[in-house]
Amino acid sequence: MSTKPFGSFIQQLRKDRGITLTEAVAGSGCSPAALSRYERGLSDISVTSMQSIITNLQLTVKDFLHHYTARTDVITKNTLYAFISGNQEYLAVNMADFMSTHAQLLHLRSINFTKFLLEVSQKSDYSAYRLTAEQEQAISDFVAPSPAWNDTQSLALVSALRFGSAELGTQLAQRLIDYAHQFTATNIRQSTISGNDFGYLIISCLINRNLTSGEPLLTALRTYYNLRVDHNLFDQISTDVINSAPLVYFSEAALAWIKQPSAMNEKKVRQVITQVQDLSLSGLTAYLERMWPLIKNGQHSWHNTKLIDNHQTPQVFDVPNWRFNYTNIKTLRKFYHLTLADVSVNWQTSTQSRFENGKSNFGFNDSLRLTEAMLMQPTVFYRALFPVPFSDFKKQASDTSIPDKYERVRQAAIATRSTFRPKPASRYKMLQAELNMRAIQMLGGGDNAKAFAEYDGANIQNLELAGILTTKHFQYSDLISFMDVAGLLDTDKQITALHWIVAHARFSIKDSSPITELVSIAVSHLPTTAMLLPSSCTVLL
């Protein structure tokens, strides 16, 4: 269980990095005393002040997202993974912690909807349970394409739709088809819905033998998926594309079997499941193993003639400019057909109205509460508040207004290095090592990279290891930073770094996929490495 307030997380990180209250609030317009009260949960801080504090603390989006995802009183990607893998124990804890935090807010439509999703996620695939007309209408209202689409909508598709009507499945399928058709090579990078979500819905259509919706949806998914493959950036979209591939192939194979239930086509389905298992995707393997018998047996869905479609016209959002502000919150509230009272968590509707009309602002904590009431996850804060490490370097190093590639990378590196804060010194060394590594990558290695003495591989190794071995408290973003450089280190140095990280981590080692990846790399290089690993890492293997 983890419901640690953001203020206490800020306090721990500030102390771990040796930053005083005065240093943390520099340029924020917030006093040290006010920050101290915030850290102790006695008051809130404006979003504007928090932006400066976040920068001063060198708190990255990776740290914030890791902190948020560890919460068990809200729906996060861990909830979705728990359902897919059949982890009922986690879902039960998630439900209990959600009720502990939100019991007084169930009068809010969105909070009650979240409660329903957590409840229905704990039901067996073979349950005779059926959604009520009210529950179906809530799904119809809240599961619609928008920049706020997140794990809540995904969970509704994969867990609640098992017990839904033919009309609900058809309605949602048409929405995703219309959504997919909006994209071309020029705007596909604005897409926010994972191919997995299409896959979950297709599987539901196949189980219910709703091929009238399932086939067009699969056709739309193929086009949408291929666009995302061909035109992705190295960011969250590229990760989604990779993760979506198994469900794309499984859906195609399962549909082929339904059309022609031959031994050969069933073998193709089993091959997809085996390939997913070979990728060590145990949770997804378990999900596909659960779904395949349901698809083979099929079932007749029921009918809901009362279902109303309040999203008949696809709405195009300006995704690049989507962030937490009064204009977008007001737009999204109306998109979901929510009243001011539906999203006023612990404040008056007049307060919500003033905010949506740009006449007042919420504090940081209340802003988070509002995102939860709007079924949003805090990704809306990323662009506005949290620095994305090295994004400016990548942009500057790609600026062809400086024709010489060597020179523009050199200038970009100098400009980026000037933004690094020298305190704490250990982090400063690690950032320099990562910057030098990125410069090598931008120059394509070879003679160009060798032209810079500071880009020498041995120098990068020394900087990185010196930074790691003097870091008293390892944050999640430190681990991600290390992963970018780890390939340059020989196996002995990797193991030395791994021992130190495990001993000084401020995050859960057992739940860290980057740690697992690092251990796997080390083991592949040295067969006897397992005997040298920390005990908590050998558990991961």
Side-chain angles (χ1 to χ4, degrees):
M1 170 180 169
S2 176
T3 55
K4 186 177 183 180
F6 188 65
S8 60
F9 173 69
I10 285 281
Q11 182 182 55
Q12 176 185 291
L13 183 139
R14 179 179 62 77
K15 290 182 176 180
D16 285 351
R17 289 184 170 163
I19 299 173
T20 66
L21 286 166
T22 300
E23 291 170 331
V25 300
S28 69
C30 174
S31 70
L35 176 58
S36 177
R37 288 194 298 273
Y38 175 78
E39 291 180 344
R40 289 176 287 142
L42 302 177
S43 63
D44 207 349
I45 286 180
S46 73
V47 174
T48 303
S49 293
M50 184 59 73
Q51 182 173 20
S52 297
I53 292 169
I54 284 170
T55 301
N56 293 337
L57 294 178
Q58 302 174 59
L59 174 61
T60 73
V61 65
K62 295 291 185 182
D63 294 311
F64 178 64
L65 184 57
H66 189 71
H67 162 76
Y68 183 86
T69 302
R71 289 180 58 181
T72 51
D73 63 335
V74 291
I75 290 177
T76 70
K77 67 178 181 180
N78 287 339
T79 311
L80 184 62
Y81 293 165
F83 173 81
I84 290 171
S85 63
N87 187 347
Q88 289 294 319
E89 182 180 356
Y90 182 92
L91 293 173
V93 170
N94 205 166
M95 181 71 196
D97 290 349
F98 170 82
M99 289 302 298
S100 177
T101 301
H102 300 91
Q104 304 303 315
L105 298 174
L106 294 179
H107 61 284
L108 302 180
R109 283 183 58 203
S110 55
I111 300 300
N112 197 49
F113 179 65
T114 302
K115 174 178 175 286
F116 151 68
L117 289 181
L118 291 172
E119 288 175 338
V120 78
S121 296
Q122 298 180 68
K123 295 186 181 298
S124 165
D125 295 323
Y126 296 91
S127 171
Y129 176 79
R130 281 187 178 183
L131 301 180
T132 66
E134 183 181 12
Q135 290 167 343
E136 290 222 327
Q137 192 61 57
I139 293 173
S140 175
D141 289 345
F142 287 125
V143 183
S146 80
W149 183 284
N150 57 61
D151 297 318
T152 301
Q153 281 79 10
S154 298
L155 186 65
L157 287 177
V158 75
S159 68
L161 215 62
R162 296 175 296 166
F163 311 113
S165 68
E167 286 75 14
L168 180 61
T170 298
Q171 186 185 101
L172 296 183
Q174 190 59 53
R175 280 185 195 168
L176 290 195
I177 291 170
D178 292 342
Y179 175 80
H181 287 166
Q182 293 180 18
F183 293 99
T184 64
T186 58
N187 67 356
I188 188 62
R189 291 177 181 176
Q190 295 188 34
S191 61
T192 58
I193 298 181
S194 166
N196 280 345
D197 295 315
F198 284 77
Y200 300 144
L201 188 49
I202 291 170
I203 287 172
S204 177
C205 290
L206 297 183
I207 292 172
N208 293 325
R209 294 298 188 267
N210 181 4
L211 301 191
T212 303
S213 295
E215 285 197 77
L217 184 58
L218 181 55
T219 300
L221 170 57
R222 288 192 188 108
T223 303
Y224 181 74
Y225 174 77
N226 289 336
L227 279 172
R228 284 163 69 89
V229 169
D230 295 338
H231 302 282
N232 71 79
L233 294 169
F234 292 103
D235 56 11
Q236 185 61 43
I237 289 182
S238 62
T239 303
D240 285 343
V241 167
I242 294 169
N243 292 341
S244 299
L247 277 180
V248 174
Y249 300 140
F250 178 80
S251 299
E252 291 177 335
L255 176 60
W257 181 89
I258 290 177
K259 287 185 169 183
Q260 185 177 349
S262 64
M264 178 62 70
N265 282 337
E266 180 165 8
K267 183 179 179 181
K268 291 178 180 178
V269 174
R270 298 303 318 179
Q271 285 176 337
V272 173
I273 296 176
T274 299
Q275 289 170 349
V276 173
Q277 187 174 29
D278 290 343
L279 291 171
S280 299
L281 301 175
S282 57
L284 185 55
T285 302
Y287 173 69
L288 298 182
E289 291 281 13
R290 283 163 49 199
M291 293 301 106
W292 177 230
L294 294 174
I295 291 174
K296 287 182 68 176
N297 294 331
Q299 66 182 26
H300 295 290
S301 56
W302 55 283
H303 293 280
N304 176 7
T305 58
K306 298 180 179 179
L307 189 66
I308 300 171
D309 188 352
N310 289 313
H311 297 283
Q312 291 182 357
T313 304
Q315 186 166 344
V316 180
F317 289 85
D318 183 12
V319 176
N321 292 320
W322 181 265
R323 61 194 67 191
F324 184 88
N325 59 39
Y326 67 90
T327 302
N328 288 334
I329 291 297
K330 185 175 184 177
T331 298
L332 187 63
R333 179 178 64 76
K334 290 185 174 182
F335 177 74
Y336 284 149
H337 302 278
L338 296 171
T339 67
L340 289 170
D342 286 329
V343 297
S344 298
V345 180
N346 59 356
W347 49 83
Q348 299 295 318
T349 55
S350 57
T351 301
Q352 181 71 26
S353 178
R354 285 196 300 274
F355 167 73
E356 291 188 6
N357 287 291
K359 296 179 179 178
S360 66
N361 287 301
F362 286 117
F364 187 77
N365 286 348
D366 281 343
S367 296
L368 283 177
R369 294 186 183 101
L370 180 55
T371 62
E372 292 172 19
M374 300 284 289
L375 293 182
M376 302 162 69
Q377 288 180 353
T379 51
V380 293
F381 286 105
Y382 290 7
R383 296 183 183 92
L385 290 181
F386 293 90
V388 180
F390 299 103
S391 59
D392 288 341
F393 169 73
K394 182 178 179 180
K395 182 178 180 180
Q396 293 170 15
S398 303
D399 182 7
T400 55
S401 63
I402 302 176
D404 183 67
K405 186 175 183 180
Y406 167 91
E407 183 60 23
R408 68 172 178 261
V409 171
R410 187 184 74 85
Q411 290 189 22
I414 291 172
T416 302
R417 190 179 294 111
S418 70
T419 66
F420 294 162
R421 295 172 183 260
K423 182 180 178 181
S426 56
R427 179 171 173 78
Y428 182 64
K429 291 175 182 176
M430 291 177 65
L431 287 173
Q432 289 187 83
E434 185 176 2
L435 173 62
N436 294 343
M437 180 67 188
R438 287 173 179 268
I440 289 177
Q441 293 172 338
M442 290 297 295
L443 289 167
D447 294 335
N448 282 333
K450 292 178 182 178
F452 287 127
E454 64 267 33
Y455 296 165
D456 178 70
N459 184 50
I460 294 175
Q461 287 190 57
N462 292 336
L463 266 176
E464 182 70 14
L465 205 58
I468 289 172
L469 299 182
T470 53
T471 299
K472 295 180 180 179
H473 303 288
F474 237 79
Q475 305 296 334
Y476 190 74
S477 60
D478 297 330
L479 171 62
I480 299 300
S481 176
F482 171 64
M483 290 299 298
D484 289 336
V485 184
L488 276 183
L489 274 62
D490 59 41
T491 304
D492 288 339
K493 287 186 174 68
Q494 285 183 0
I495 298 304
T496 297
L498 185 58
H499 271 280
W500 188 271
I501 292 170
V502 170
H504 297 81
R506 280 294 196 185
F507 52 89
S508 173
I509 293 295
K510 293 183 179 180
D511 297 332
S512 172
S513 56
I515 284 284
T516 306
E517 181 183 344
L518 182 58
V519 172
S520 300
I521 293 172
V523 171
S524 67
H525 289 167
L526 183 63
T528 58
T529 298
M531 295 185 294
L532 306 174
L533 293 175
S535 58
S536 55
C537 285
T538 54
V539 169
L540 292 172
L541 295 175

